[in-house]
Amino acid sequence: MIYTLQTATTIENVLRNELHLGKKYVHQLRMAKAVSVDDQLVSWTVQLPARTILTIDIPETKSNYLPASISVPIMYEDEHLLVVDKPKNMATHPNNSSETSTCMNAVMRHVTHYAEHVHRLDEGTGGLLLIAKNPIAKAALDYALANNEVTRSYTAVVEGRMVQQQGTIAKPIGKDRHHNTRRVVAKSGQVAVTHFKVIARTAKTTTVKLTLETGRTHQIRVHLAYLGHPIVGDTLYGAKLQGTTYALEATELTFTHPITHKVITVTKK
């Protein structure tokens, strides 16, 4: 991996505070003498000038997902990460080591070595899924996601005509004590924030674009149902209009690339 310093700094600072690697992994890199400048080892605590090029030899790591006989559409890819279009009614990842029908199994057919999802989509939600292709990209993207630096936008069709053109739903979400898989708005739940904007209306439905600040389980589904506008087909959350699945798609991802520092936007038309 090639990493170019954006400012004058040290290797130690890059690994810990720019790439956000854990102590154990940093120690592994140090023991392997995996970081060099112009093929030379340099002190990790000496300040290097901006534009210095680091070469990081990533220790061999393999993901545990079995490759599948199925594939998924790839919307963006480089040597560090990829974005795929997860089909509806496909789980993001397997629940046991023998399962091979999930999105991550399909990704392993393409990548073959290392791939780990940065976030997840509910099984019934289709659309864009961000995946790291090495542990360094994974750590940096995990940090970006946790700090609201990955913008995830969705499109949903909900029941009824929403009166409000746009707004923010800031209601905590917790488990439903009476249902194993449902979530509910609850005072004791985790903080959850969803922004929405109406983009179309019909006599019986409204199409909305939604952007997440947090990533709670079923967040969009719970918040829209709380407003009295469940997603069309989402019978788990009270929808009456039927469909083969519920009408929710992850349609846009925007993030700063952890290695190149370029802003990447991937859109599903």
Side-chain angles (χ1 to χ4, degrees):
M1 171 186 287
I2 302 299
Y3 187 87
T4 303
L5 303 190
Q6 301 299 293
T7 60
T9 188
T10 67
I11 293 174
E12 187 84 24
N13 186 62
V14 166
L15 299 181
R16 291 189 180 277
N17 300 318
E18 292 185 17
L19 295 173
H20 305 285
L21 302 180
K23 290 182 179 179
K24 183 177 179 180
Y25 198 79
V26 169
H27 179 71
Q28 185 179 357
L29 293 177
R30 190 190 298 274
M31 292 298 98
K33 298 180 179 180
V35 185
S36 61
V37 177
D38 295 328
D39 295 324
Q40 300 294 318
L41 297 178
V42 298
S43 171
W44 281 26
T45 57
V46 170
Q47 183 160 280
L48 302 172
R51 310 312 299 171
T52 297
I53 298 175
L54 303 183
T55 299
I56 306 174
D57 295 325
I58 301 174
E60 184 173 334
T61 308
K62 187 172 178 61
S63 295
N64 293 324
Y65 310 116
L66 296 173
S69 58
I70 54 177
S71 60
V72 290
I74 296 171
M75 308 298 287
Y76 173 87
E77 183 176 18
D78 60 33
E79 64 178 302
H80 306 290
L81 56 89
L82 72 159
V83 177
V84 301
D85 183 4
K86 185 190 83 67
K88 285 177 174 289
N89 299 323
M90 173 186 280
T92 294
H93 57 83
N95 290 318
N96 59 71
S97 59
S98 63
E99 192 174 352
T100 60
S101 59
T102 75
C103 185
M104 290 309 301
N105 297 118
V107 169
M108 288 307 296
R109 178 186 180 186
H110 172 73
V111 174
T112 72
H113 189 64
Y114 178 99
E116 295 292 342
H117 56 92
V118 176
H119 59 112
R120 64 180 297 276
L121 297 174
D122 293 340
E123 185 170 333
T125 304
L128 302 178
L129 183 68
L130 178 59
I131 296 167
K133 292 174 63 177
N134 61 65
I136 293 178
K138 177 67 163 62
L141 289 169
D142 281 348
Y143 180 88
L145 184 72
N147 286 274
N148 202 29
E149 296 169 3
V150 179
T151 302
R152 293 162 289 163
S153 297
Y154 296 74
T155 300
V157 182
V158 303
E159 294 186 355
R161 288 178 61 87
M162 294 181 70
V163 175
Q164 192 173 353
Q165 185 64 28
Q166 61 184 24
T168 297
I169 313 164
K171 296 292 181 180
I173 293 175
K175 292 183 178 180
D176 187 336
R177 292 179 298 170
H178 308 291
H179 196 292
N180 288 335
T181 57
R182 275 176 56 98
R183 299 294 190 271
V184 294
V185 168
K187 290 182 179 179
S188 60
Q190 294 177 296
V191 172
V193 181
T194 306
H195 305 285
F196 70 90
K197 182 178 181 179
V198 172
I199 56 178
R201 292 183 177 92
T202 69
K204 295 183 178 180
T205 65
T206 304
T207 301
V208 290
K209 181 177 181 179
L210 306 112
T211 303
L212 297 181
E213 276 194 27
T214 53
R216 309 306 177 198
T217 300
H218 297 183
Q219 178 173 319
I220 290 174
R221 300 164 66 187
V222 173
H223 273 171
L224 289 173
Y226 176 81
L227 291 184
H229 295 281
I231 297 171
V232 169
D234 193 3
T235 54
L236 181 63
Y237 288 100
K240 297 180 177 61
L241 299 178
Q242 299 298 309
T244 55
T245 185
Y246 55 86
L248 177 63
E249 287 275 344
T251 49
E252 187 172 284
L253 278 172
T254 299
F255 56 93
T256 299
H257 196 292
I259 310 303
T260 68
H261 306 288
K262 294 179 180 179
V263 176
I264 305 292
T265 297
V266 183
T267 303
K268 179 179 178 179
K269 301 298 184 180

